[in-house]
Amino acid sequence: MLSVEAATVSGVVTDSAAGTPLAGAKVLLRLGTTSGFAPARDSEVTDHNGGYSFDTVPVGNFRLYTLDSGFLSRNTTGAVADTAAVTVDVQLVKILYGSITGKVTDSLAGTAVAGAKVYLRSAATGGTTLDSAVTDDSGSYAI
């Protein structure tokens, strides 16, 4: 009989700002190399203490995809080297809601620019466009 080395991967999911555990967050486990990961092998929902645990994770690389309502999802990579338990704690960033308003003007003439496209991009995710708006006749926009 061939024995496969495996370990337990576990941890706690918390709110990055408050440090409080996130009960009910979903954690997906994907196995694979750093160049490609297979579809989810398993999933867990965190308990009331924010804890999760995957048993019998084989030796090799893995990725945890963690998500919860009202928070930015997060990918975290790790590796199982032998049968030693691996702890991966995950902090999720709360999505803050608000509005951004402004006016686009021509820098030389000082006049309003109608029809300009304004983008809201996330520095945290490498410039991903989160939202956009088009200026009205007075050059004003709201996101």
Side-chain angles (χ1 to χ4, degrees):
M1 182 163 85
L2 181 63
S3 127
V4 175
E5 289 189 345
T8 298
V9 174
S10 62
V12 177
V13 179
T14 57
D15 177 325
S16 66
T20 54
L22 295 176
K26 188 163 189 173
V27 183
L28 302 172
L29 171 69
R30 291 188 167 97
L31 304 177
T33 65
T34 54
S35 62
F37 286 84
R41 174 185 184 259
D42 202 355
S43 66
E44 288 286 331
V45 174
T46 57
D47 62 24
H48 67 282
N49 293 317
Y52 71 90
S53 182
F54 296 103
D55 296 326
T56 64
V57 178
V59 169
N61 295 315
F62 65 85
R63 176 176 289 173
L64 299 176
Y65 179 68
T66 309
L67 59 151
D68 196 11
S69 179
F71 292 84
L72 294 173
S73 58
R74 182 164 184 189
N75 277 305
T76 310
T77 57
V80 171
D82 54 31
T83 58
V86 176
T87 301
V88 181
D89 294 330
V90 179
Q91 294 183 333
L92 295 182
V93 175
K94 188 176 219 68
I95 298 171
L96 301 176
Y97 297 96
S99 62
I100 300 171
T101 60
K103 186 172 185 174
V104 178
T105 57
D106 181 308
S107 63
L108 297 176
T111 57
V113 177
K117 187 99 174 185
V118 179
Y119 296 93
L120 173 63
R121 296 195 174 177
S122 169
T125 60
T128 303
T129 299
L130 302 175
D131 205 349
S132 64
V134 177
T135 59
D136 61 18
D137 290 339
S138 69
S140 297
Y141 65 91
I143 296 177

